[in-house]
Amino acid sequence: MKIYAYDVREDEREAFVRVGEDCGVELVLDAEAPTPETAGRAAGCVGVSSLGQKKITWEVLKRWKELGVQCYSTRTISYNHVDLEAALDLGFKVCNANYPPNGVADFSVMMILLCLRNYKQTMSRGLANDFTLKGLQGRNMNALTIGVMGTGRIGRQVIRNLSGFGCRILAYDIQENEETKALAQYVDADTIYRECDVITLHMPWVSATGNIINRESIAKMKDGVILVNCARGELTETQALIEAVESGKIGALGIDTLKGEEGIIHQDHRTESIVNRDWFYLHQFSNVVMTQHMAFYTREAVESMVRCGVEGIVQMAQTGSCPNMLRKA
């Protein structure tokens, strides 16, 4: 069995070798993304795998179909970049990946702490040999109410992590989890906005959650609220974030993902200009900590993503199904 892997980062290559040997398949590793121009490279392959940097469009899928490709796997949990309806209509078997929730959960709590303790200003001063304290006073976590929006695998792990700090934890989700109720109190979204000193987002991006953090929801929040997003950039309205940081309504912002990050993250732009004013305008605020969509990025997560990407194709090709197989809603 031959599988073509696009978007292959250097840190994935060793894992691909291990997983390929375990599965007994031939792997072709390509650093470039799948496009209508590169789709033809998958000729002779049963399946293809990619990350989420490029849209998997009908044109790409149609070309793969013409070449006899049967299966597609995205080495990501989210799959909004895939035209899933087109893929299924064309007869593809499609799956996504999973990985332990600990990495993103740990990163999210780190983001909260960085915002609470004015990390960005502190580090900037230290690099300039300015060791003054004015303006750097933080808050104790145990004195705060923290809201977790989304209690799936990652949100639940965030709550477990936070429970050790002694803070009051409120949770919001359309589907309540019984295990979570032992550590957090479920409330509606307006209560989260009204009562929480810190709000951290852990929802998927679907039509109901797109721009859930907007001018209206931010207006309901406490003055000086800390907002953390290590989930999806599409959950927040960028202009609303900018206005709230400018006005002081948002006291600190910790974001690992922002709408419009495609073409910016995971690439070196030191010698070129980037046209995304909102992204870089937010980046320059002293109370905004921005990272390059890396909350997921641990050794364990990369191994799991590669393994899901390859094993999913093998299982779908051999049995017609796999644990992470995607179907129409």
Side-chain angles (χ1 to χ4, degrees):
M1 184 183 298
K2 188 176 179 181
I3 296 173
Y4 202 96
Y6 291 91
D7 292 324
V8 176
R9 300 188 310 263
E10 286 301 314
D11 59 85
E12 292 183 300
R13 289 183 177 271
E14 287 188 11
F16 267 114
V17 171
R18 288 193 298 272
V19 176
E21 291 176 351
D22 291 344
C23 295
V25 297
E26 178 185 354
L27 293 172
V28 182
L29 306 183
D30 188 342
E32 292 192 53
T35 65
E37 292 72 33
T38 63
R41 300 175 186 176
C45 294
V46 169
V48 295
S49 177
S50 75
L51 293 171
Q53 293 301 305
K54 287 286 187 179
K55 298 287 187 182
I56 306 301
T57 63
W58 180 87
E59 290 80 8
V60 172
L61 291 162
K62 184 173 182 294
R63 180 63 176 136
W64 284 339
K65 185 68 175 178
E66 293 169 349
L67 296 171
V69 176
Q70 302 171 22
C71 306
Y72 168 76
S73 72
T74 176
R75 302 189 305 280
T76 59
I77 290 179
S78 62
Y79 50 91
N80 301 91
H81 58 287
V82 182
D83 188 338
L84 183 60
E85 184 173 354
L88 297 178
D89 286 345
L90 285 167
F92 282 93
K93 294 179 174 60
V94 183
C95 69
N96 65 341
N98 62 47
Y99 47 80
N102 307 75
V104 177
D106 294 352
F107 199 95
S108 301
V109 174
M110 178 190 75
M111 276 289 204
I112 294 171
L113 291 167
L114 294 179
C115 290
L116 283 174
R117 301 307 299 269
N118 298 296
Y119 150 82
K120 191 172 181 179
Q121 304 95 305
T122 302
M123 290 298 294
S124 296
R125 289 189 196 181
L127 292 171
N129 292 335
D130 176 358
F131 304 115
T132 58
L133 292 176
K134 185 177 180 180
L136 299 181
Q137 189 176 66
R139 298 287 306 278
N140 286 353
M141 187 95 85
N142 68 340
L144 305 179
T145 297
I146 298 182
V148 178
M149 298 189 71
T151 58
R153 293 171 66 244
I154 293 174
R156 294 198 299 273
Q157 186 59 47
V158 169
I159 289 170
R160 286 191 286 268
N161 288 357
L162 289 172
S163 66
F165 288 88
C167 50
R168 178 187 179 218
I169 306 172
L170 300 183
Y172 167 76
D173 202 303
I174 58 173
Q175 293 183 329
E176 298 184 2
N177 176 268
E178 291 302 316
E179 176 190 344
T180 299
K181 291 180 180 180
L183 300 174
Q185 177 187 356
Y186 275 102
V187 295
D188 60 23
D190 281 352
T191 302
I192 293 278
Y193 302 145
R194 184 177 63 251
E195 297 190 13
C196 290
D197 303 287
V198 178
I199 298 172
T200 180
L201 306 179
H202 300 286
M203 295 174 289
W205 172 35
V206 295
S207 58
T209 61
N211 286 339
I212 193 169
I213 303 301
N214 52 42
R215 290 178 177 88
E216 182 180 354
S217 57
I218 291 172
K220 298 174 183 178
M221 297 178 190
K222 288 186 175 183
D223 291 342
V225 66
I226 289 173
L227 183 65
V228 170
N229 184 8
C230 293
R232 293 302 302 270
E234 288 79 8
L235 299 177
T236 62
E237 184 183 338
T238 304
Q239 283 299 319
L241 295 180
I242 290 173
E243 293 168 9
V245 172
E246 288 177 329
S247 69
K249 181 69 174 182
I250 291 180
L253 187 61
I255 46 180
D256 184 53
T257 178
L258 188 69
K259 194 184 304 180
E261 66 187 11
E262 297 82 5
I264 298 175
I265 58 168
H266 305 170
Q267 299 177 31
D268 185 351
H269 301 286
R270 286 176 292 182
T271 60
E272 59 189 74
S273 298
I274 309 267
V275 182
N276 190 317
R277 296 180 181 180
D278 291 343
W279 201 95
F280 283 96
Y281 186 58
L282 265 178
H283 187 268
Q284 56 85 34
F285 284 105
S286 62
N287 58 341
V288 175
V289 179
M290 288 180 69
T291 50
Q292 53 266 49
H293 203 136
M294 60 174 293
F296 76 96
Y297 193 50
T298 65
R299 181 183 305 171
E300 293 81 3
V302 170
E303 176 82 24
S304 181
M305 293 162 76
V306 171
R307 188 164 293 278
C308 286
V310 176
E311 289 183 349
I313 289 174
V314 172
Q315 292 168 0
M316 289 189 297
Q318 291 180 344
T319 71
S321 183
C322 75
N324 295 323
M325 190 165 171
L326 301 174
R327 296 175 172 84
K328 287 186 179 181

